Structure formats: structure tokens, C-alpha cells
Amino acid sequence: MNQDVWNDTKRWLENSIKYLEDYKNNYIHNKFEYSRLKGKVEGLKVCLEHMKESERIYQSE
């Protein structure tokens, strides 16, 4: 994968997590919407962690 694409994807994930975390806090009173947004945030965090782990593996080679 092109390094620029990799960095753009990582930045997109980080920005999306931050945006959804802030957005989620507006829906604390609505359990369904809060849960839905929380699930999205958790999924994006998993993707970001996979990217970071791949970077650690790549750098250790």
C-alpha cells in the first residue's frame, strides 16, 4: 500500500473516532442512538489498533 494512502487512512480513522466521540455525547439521553454510535466508535478503534500493530510489526522487521 502506498504510504500516503496508509497515512490518509490512519488520519481518517483518528478524525472519525474523535468526531463520533463528540457526536455520541449529544445522544446520551437516547439509548439506541448512543449504543449505535458507541458501536461505530469501537469498530473504528479496532481498525486503528490493527493499523498500529501492523506498523509495529513492519518496523521490527
Side-chain angles (χ1 to χ4, degrees), residues 6-18 41-56:
W6 181 268
N7 292 337
D8 286 346
T9 303
K10 188 175 175 186
R11 194 173 317 108
W12 181 86
L13 285 168
E14 291 167 340
N15 291 337
S16 296
I17 291 167
K18 183 185 260 185
V41 169
E42 292 304 314
L44 291 174
K45 285 180 178 179
V46 168
C47 292
L48 184 59
E49 285 304 311
H50 283 288
M51 288 186 81
K52 288 178 180 179
E53 183 64 24
S54 294
E55 288 173 341
R56 284 190 288 271

Side-chain angles (χ1 to χ4, degrees), residues 26-42:
N26 294 328
Y27 284 94
I28 291 174
H29 61 279
N30 183 333
K31 282 186 175 181
F32 175 75
E33 189 66 14
Y34 180 83
S35 295
R36 189 179 75 79
L37 291 169
K38 183 178 177 187
K40 285 185 177 203
V41 169
E42 292 304 314

